Amino acid sequence: MQTLIELLAGAIWFIFPAYVANSIPVDVSKLKLLEKYGKPIDGGRTLNGRRILGDGKTWRGLFSGIIAGTLFGGLQAMVAPSLNGGSQYLPELTLTLAFMLATGALLGDMTASFIKRRINLRPGQPAPLMDQLDFVAGALFFAWIWTSVSQGTTANALENMIGYPRLAVIIIMTPFVHLLGNFIAWAWKLKKNPW
Ligand code: CTP
Ligand code: MG
């Protein structure tokens, strides 16, 4: 039987590379050193008069997020054996899975920006729930694809990857964690808005 603590730990453990991938771009956007890589991914282009993604989605953010999330997940994979201590309460992470989680997180975030621009929401304007869950949805979707590819079938891929209880914990927990994180980033003047 999994204890509640093990369930929570397993959920946070698995989604952590996506959290890292989603937070790093905000910090990196403040680095003078990387300023010249801060060009918007959409190159300023518009679709029906509205920006495709907007100035909030930069190459610098995309690459720094993917690299940071992948490296952090790789580190987790390295220390997992000693943390698990013989039991298997932490879901398995590999460097490739971390890369998929991080890449999915950034692409999920970009997808949400694309949708926000289509419905005329400016960067920084809130889209409740979508702003909080876009990156998690992208990360889980990419991780699910990779799990399916490596096991050769989509059957039970989600169960084999993390299982439904942890999935539920991630979805319920993330909006709160995200709001708290953004509030802290805003208080530290890293972000313009507390959401
Ligand atoms: N960021 C970035 N590149 C990315 C993702 C994020 O540079 N691919 C940085 C930007 O400085 C952005 C900040 O992280 O302003 C916060 O991201 P987010 O809250 O998702 O962006 P918004 O500015 O609110 O824009 P949008 O409405 O398009 O999500
Ligand atoms: Mg966003």
Side-chain angles (χ1 to χ4, degrees), residues 3 21 37 50 71 88 96 130-132 140 148 179 192 194:
T3 65
Y37 303 105
R50 292 173 191 147
L71 290 182
Q88 263 306 333
T96 319
M130 192 161 80
D131 281 336
Q132 286 85 47
L140 291 171
S148 301
L179 285 174
K192 287 192 208 80

Side-chain angles (χ1 to χ4, degrees), residues 22 57 108-110 112-113 116 130-132 134 178 191:
N22 194 55
K57 304 297 122 152
D109 178 53
M110 280 167 62
S113 290
K116 283 174 77 175
M130 192 161 80
D131 281 336
Q132 286 85 47
D134 52 11
H178 193 267
K191 274 200 97 200

Side-chain angles (χ1 to χ4, degrees), residues 51-122:
R51 282 291 290 273
I52 298 177
L53 298 173
D55 288 336
K57 304 297 122 152
T58 65
W59 290 108
R60 176 182 60 192
L62 178 66
F63 288 118
S64 64
I66 293 176
I67 293 169
T70 306
L71 290 182
F72 201 90
L75 209 65
Q76 285 176 264
M78 272 166 60
V79 300
S82 52
L83 288 178
N84 266 322
S87 74
Q88 263 306 333
Y89 74 96
L90 295 175
E92 195 188 3
L93 276 178
T94 59
L95 194 64
T96 319
L97 200 51
F99 172 75
M100 292 303 273
L101 283 164
T103 306
L106 269 301
L107 293 186
D109 178 53
M110 280 167 62
T111 306
S113 290
F114 179 80
I115 296 171
K116 283 174 77 175
R117 299 302 89 82
R118 305 288 69 74
I119 58 175
N120 223 2
L121 285 175
R122 285 187 307 278

